[in-house]
């Protein structure tokens, strides 16, 4: 197998794992709201996940685990995506926050305040990823 195929398969697997995490988080309150679905649709497009693959991921969520990126900035970006899905419906319930905290720990964020800070940042209509990365780095 050519090295480029190995890389592209690895990247696709990472993208699918990220998408699965977003779906899990959006379903924690029992319903995927319209706003959450919009975020999922945008993320699927950004991650280059086709509709058939999205359906397969939704049907097999347990087969996907969080794979933390090596780069700290990439882990913050992953956290950003997770927080965006939680905040998208305008309400963050305790179950969503608890699941988000568990996912953040798997990404290497052990400071409980990081999740609260991340939610507050996004909830205040801050939508700039670069600002989010800088803000989270300050909390380290």
């Amino acid at each position: 197998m050519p090295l480029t195929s190995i890389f592209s398969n690895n990247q696709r697997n990472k993208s699918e794992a990220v998408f699965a995490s977003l779906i899990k988080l959006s379903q924690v309150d029992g319903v995927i709201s319209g706003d959450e679905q919009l975020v999922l649709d945008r993320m699927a497009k950004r991650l280059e996940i086709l509709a058939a693959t999205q359906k397969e991921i939704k049907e097999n969520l347990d087969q996907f685990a969080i794979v933390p990126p090596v780069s700290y900035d990439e882990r913050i970006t992953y956290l950003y995506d997770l927080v965006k899905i939680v905040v998208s419906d305008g309400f963050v319930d305790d179950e969503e926050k608890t699941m988000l905290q568990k996912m953040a720990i798997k990404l290497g964020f052990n400071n409980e305040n990081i999740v609260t800070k991340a939610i507050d940042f996004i909830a205040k209509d801050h939508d700039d990823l670069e600002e989010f990365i800088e803000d989270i780095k300050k909390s380290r």
Side-chain angles (χ1 to χ4, degrees):
M1 177 181 289
L3 190 56
T4 54
S5 294
I6 293 170
F7 177 75
S8 63
N9 284 340
N10 187 31
Q11 185 59 42
R12 186 170 39 252
N13 291 342
K14 285 180 183 178
S15 295
E16 290 173 0
V18 168
F19 191 70
S21 297
L22 294 170
I23 293 170
K24 288 177 189 177
L25 204 46
S26 67
Q27 290 180 340
V28 76
D29 59 1
V31 175
I32 296 178
S33 73
D35 291 331
E36 288 170 331
Q37 188 59 54
L38 287 173
V39 173
L40 287 172
D41 292 343
R42 281 195 305 264
M43 289 303 300
K45 186 174 182 175
R46 188 179 98 196
L47 296 169
E48 298 178 358
I49 298 175
L50 302 174
T53 305
Q54 291 175 47
K55 183 179 178 195
E56 185 179 321
I57 291 169
K58 286 178 183 179
E59 292 171 354
N60 300 291
L61 286 175
D62 293 337
Q63 294 181 7
F64 297 91
I66 289 181
V67 180
V70 175
S71 157
Y72 188 62
D73 283 3
E74 287 178 12
R75 286 187 282 140
I76 296 172
T77 300
Y78 199 154
L79 178 64
Y80 175 85
D81 293 339
L82 294 171
V83 173
K84 289 285 287 182
I85 199 77
V86 167
V87 174
S88 66
D89 64 1
F91 180 75
V92 180
D93 65 29
D94 290 339
E95 289 178 54
E96 289 173 319
K97 191 169 183 179
T98 298
M99 183 174 232
L100 182 58
Q101 185 65 45
K102 288 177 184 178
M103 290 178 164
I105 289 169
K106 289 179 182 179
L107 288 171
F109 299 105
N110 297 317
N111 179 347
E112 287 184 27
N113 296 329
I114 291 287
V115 169
T116 301
K117 185 171 186 158
I119 290 170
D120 290 346
F121 184 92
I122 299 297
K124 292 178 183 168
D125 289 329
H126 288 97
D127 203 22
D128 185 278
L129 176 59
E130 295 305 317
E131 285 181 32
F132 182 82
I133 290 171
E134 291 306 314
D135 197 53
I136 295 299
K137 282 182 177 180
K138 291 176 189 173
S139 301
R140 206 171 186 188

